[in-house]
Amino acid sequence: MTVVLLIAIVTVGLLLLGSSVRVINQYERGVIMRFGRLRDATRGPGLALIAPMADRLHKVNMQIVTMAIPAQDGITRDNVTVKVDAVVYYRVVDPVRVVVGVQNYDYAIGQVAQASLRSIIGKSDLDDLLSNRERLNQGLELMIDSPALDWGVHIDRVEIKDVALPDTMKRSMSRQAEAERERRSRVITADGELQASQKLAQAAEVMTEHPAALQLRLLQTVVEVAAEKNSTLVLPFPVELLRFLERSTPPETSFEPTEPAGATEEEPAELPHGEMTEAEATRPAAVASSTHAAG
């Protein structure tokens, strides 16, 4: 009987010892409640001894927790229906407040994050949700961090992950982007033509002042075309080059002999058929007078 009693005492002692020893990990802190009353000091990592049947140990995780906020439907300030989801990174800074101040801090943080996300959607425009997320993330972080500090939780970061748009809005945005790119391409093309025209005008002024520059440019064009080993060469001949050659060629002098005045004989004009000139009409009379004198 004595042996059995000793074994029972040792067994009860081991059970009490086992229930009074707790192991706290490095990333945890222990909060002890003795008969429902909070003990002042929190227990750090390692072995923690508590009073059996009197103390209750609550372990609080001090690591950074990642919580995904479910997608929230909302209407933006410019009346566009969107669905936005986000993620929250938070950690516990005061384990006592987490145990005493709030019943379930994980659920409380999740509900505050969802409500804050819907509020941010209603206060923002669609363009801000798509392109200005840094400012929205900061505003969302402040909205969640304000009540979380009273619960002993610090919000490290909040990120908006995705913004889901209706199909009609996606098509409208694609058409808008296409029109914007078309406008930019036309502006760039017009700007290039303007710059090219200005450079061509400057080149024309230089060639006007120095005509030899046009001939050098023409020779350069011939060299570029001849490098391709073409059998046919079409060579433009500008009018300016002709003018340059005309100005550079001296005027020619004529060496034709001049005849004295009155030395030229005028050819008789042709008369109609059957008519005679005055010399031919007087010739027979002269012949007849000379024959009569001889007789």
Side-chain angles (χ1 to χ4, degrees), residues 218-233:
L218 179 61
L219 295 176
Q220 184 180 0
T221 305
V222 173
V223 172
E224 293 177 357
V225 175
E228 299 180 0
K229 298 180 180 180
N230 295 326
S231 59
T232 304
L233 178 61

Side-chain angles (χ1 to χ4, degrees), residues 26-56:
Q26 182 67 35
Y27 54 86
E28 294 177 339
R29 296 294 182 271
V31 178
I32 298 176
M33 306 286 290
R34 177 167 293 178
F35 294 111
R37 179 176 295 182
L38 177 68
R39 298 292 299 271
D40 296 335
T42 59
R43 301 299 177 88
L47 292 176
L49 297 177
I50 60 176
M53 306 299 295
D55 295 343
R56 179 173 295 180

Side-chain angles (χ1 to χ4, degrees), residues 1-293:
M1 293 295 295
T2 304
V3 174
V4 173
L5 183 61
L6 290 175
I7 293 175
I9 293 174
V10 171
T11 303
V12 172
L14 291 176
L15 291 175
L16 293 176
L17 181 63
S19 61
S20 63
V21 177
R22 294 288 186 271
V23 177
I24 301 176
N25 297 320
Q26 182 67 35
Y27 54 86
E28 294 177 339
R29 296 294 182 271
V31 178
I32 298 176
M33 306 286 290
R34 177 167 293 178
F35 294 111
R37 179 176 295 182
L38 177 68
R39 298 292 299 271
D40 296 335
T42 59
R43 301 299 177 88
L47 292 176
L49 297 177
I50 60 176
M53 306 299 295
D55 295 343
R56 179 173 295 180
L57 179 65
H58 297 273
K59 296 180 181 180
V60 180
N61 192 344
M62 305 296 291
Q63 292 177 319
I64 295 178
V65 180
T66 304
M67 175 182 292
I69 303 177
Q72 302 295 315
D73 294 327
I75 300 177
T76 61
R77 190 167 57 182
D78 50 354
N79 298 325
V80 178
T81 303
V82 294
K83 182 181 291 186
V84 183
D85 57 351
V87 60
V88 180
Y89 303 91
Y90 67 91
R91 59 186 176 89
V92 177
V93 294
D94 191 348
V96 176
R97 288 187 179 182
V98 167
V99 175
V100 179
V102 61
Q103 182 179 6
N104 188 349
Y105 68 93
D106 290 329
Y107 180 76
I109 294 295
Q111 294 299 314
V112 171
Q114 294 180 24
S116 301
L117 181 58
R118 286 193 295 268
S119 178
I120 285 292
I121 293 174
K123 295 179 181 179
S124 306
D125 295 331
L126 180 61
D127 294 338
D128 294 336
L129 289 175
L130 296 177
S131 60
N132 195 11
R133 293 187 181 181
E134 292 296 333
R135 184 177 62 83
L136 297 181
N137 293 336
Q138 294 176 1
L140 188 59
E141 180 180 349
L142 291 175
M143 294 179 66
I144 302 175
D145 196 28
S146 297
L149 286 176
D150 296 334
W151 304 333
V153 178
H154 174 67
I155 305 299
D156 284 346
R157 192 171 183 178
V158 181
E159 291 286 344
I160 296 177
K161 294 195 300 182
D162 188 21
V163 178
L165 299 174
D167 294 336
T168 56
M169 181 58 62
K170 291 180 181 179
R171 288 193 294 267
S172 300
M173 294 178 65
S174 63
R175 289 194 299 267
Q176 179 183 0
E178 184 178 357
E180 179 65 21
R181 291 184 180 274
E182 184 68 21
R183 183 188 66 85
R184 291 180 182 177
S185 65
R186 291 182 179 180
V187 170
I188 293 173
T189 302
D191 192 10
E193 292 179 356
L194 176 60
Q195 295 179 5
S197 63
Q198 293 176 353
K199 295 299 181 181
L200 290 175
Q202 295 177 4
E205 293 177 358
V206 173
M207 290 181 181
T208 302
E209 297 177 358
H210 305 282
L214 182 61
Q215 186 177 3
L216 294 176
R217 185 68 184 92
L218 179 61
L219 295 176
Q220 184 180 0
T221 305
V222 173
V223 172
E224 293 177 357
V225 175
E228 299 180 0
K229 298 180 180 180
N230 295 326
S231 59
T232 304
L233 178 61
V234 179
L235 183 63
F237 204 75
V239 180
E240 288 78 3
L241 183 58
L242 294 177
R243 295 176 180 173
F244 170 73
L245 295 176
E246 182 180 1
R247 288 194 301 266
S248 59
T249 303
E252 296 181 358
T253 57
S254 59
F255 297 96
E256 296 181 357
T258 58
E259 297 180 357
T264 58
E265 296 182 355
E266 296 182 357
E267 296 181 358
E270 295 182 359
L271 299 176
H273 182 71
E275 295 184 1
M276 294 183 297
T277 61
E278 183 179 358
E280 291 178 352
T282 58
R283 184 178 302 173
V287 173
S289 60
S290 61
T291 303
H292 180 71

